[in-house]
Amino acid sequence: MAELTFDCLDVRPVKYAASPTLAFSMKITELTAQPIHALVLRVQLRIEPQRRRYSSREAELLTNLFGDPARWGETLRPFQFATVAVMVPSFTRTTEFQLEVPCTYDLEVAAGKYFHALADGVVPLVLLFSGTMFPKGGPGFWVEPVPWHTEAECRMPIAAWDELMNQYFPNVAWLKLHRETVDALLRYKSRHAIPTWDAAMEHLLANVGDDL
């Protein structure tokens, strides 16, 4: 039976993609020297937040996601980033491929909240692999499952995420609001002759006081 190992070599934003996309440069090694006709992979990317330290500023922003830092021993648990599929063509012994992961800056999504809170350092990820491999030999090939225990660790620089988001949304973030809230903000903006949405939010926050 073919035996695969995976390594993450690099993570970079995809230039000129239609939507924000990260490219994970991956290396596969087949340990038994069995030629592989093709691989059909399903890859789950999972964030493991318990594997890094956080500054006081980061901890403050992450309270919305994990609760009070005093409880992080219980609440800091792995969670989903993305699941993607990819096909890897024929190779023997080793090959490299690009795993392209579509991303969102939606701050209603747990991964978006987490990435937004990090100032620097790395994001601890684990990539979990499943799918089908097609080893070949003689006149044909056969089918084997990719073992469920197959995985790879990745320490993605948060700078790669920041570069990606600045490429598509320079110096901005996105919030999802109810229509009624948008209508109320629009009325407030008009009533006070405020030119932009950002200025309207600054005007509101200026009246909050020391709660920020």
Side-chain angles (χ1 to χ4, degrees):
M1 183 174 180
E3 186 176 350
L4 305 176
T5 63
F6 292 82
D7 295 288
C8 183
L9 306 177
D10 191 21
V11 185
R12 293 184 182 276
V14 175
K15 304 284 188 183
Y16 315 118
S19 59
T21 304
L22 285 172
F24 289 71
S25 298
M26 304 298 302
K27 179 180 179 181
I28 306 176
T29 303
E30 203 294 307
L31 300 178
T32 69
Q34 171 67 60
I36 302 296
H37 176 69
L39 276 174
V40 180
L41 293 174
R42 184 174 182 271
V43 188
Q44 178 187 353
L45 294 91
R46 192 173 65 187
I47 299 169
E48 299 198 319
Q50 73 281 6
R51 290 171 46 204
R52 63 158 283 167
R53 296 180 181 275
Y54 301 94
S55 68
S56 57
R57 176 194 173 277
E58 291 171 336
E60 182 180 16
L61 293 176
L62 287 170
T63 299
N64 182 255
L65 187 59
F66 300 120
D68 191 275
R71 299 184 57 245
W72 281 11
E74 302 171 7
T75 62
L76 225 58
R77 293 289 183 264
F79 61 96
Q80 181 84 354
F81 172 27
T83 299
V84 293
V86 64
M87 176 170 282
V88 181
S90 177
F91 69 95
T92 300
R93 291 189 182 275
T94 186
T95 190
E96 296 182 12
F97 69 97
Q98 294 287 313
L99 181 68
E100 295 194 352
V101 179
C103 301
T104 176
Y105 202 14
D106 187 348
L107 294 183
E108 295 294 319
V109 177
K113 293 179 183 178
Y114 182 75
F115 294 144
H116 178 79
L118 301 186
D120 53 27
V122 299
V123 178
L125 297 171
V126 62
L127 284 66
L128 307 173
F129 298 90
S130 60
T132 306
M133 52 184 166
F134 300 87
K136 60 182 178 180
F141 58 87
W142 57 95
V143 178
E144 295 179 4
V146 175
W148 282 94
H149 65 265
T150 308
E151 62 181 54
E153 292 187 357
C154 174
R155 294 173 62 80
M156 183 185 85
I158 194 60
W161 175 266
D162 291 341
E163 180 183 347
L164 177 67
M165 291 303 144
N166 286 331
Q167 180 178 320
Y168 286 85
F169 314 115
N171 200 35
V172 298
W174 298 99
L175 293 175
K176 182 172 69 175
L177 302 174
H178 287 293
R179 290 182 183 272
E180 294 82 359
T181 305
V182 173
D183 291 345
L185 284 171
L186 184 58
R187 289 192 294 269
Y188 180 86
K189 184 169 169 285
S190 299
R191 188 163 61 249
H192 293 274
I194 300 174
T196 66
W197 291 104
D198 199 59
M201 296 303 294
E202 288 181 354
H203 193 272
L204 281 168
L205 290 172
N207 297 316
V208 173
D210 296 331
D211 291 339
L212 294 178

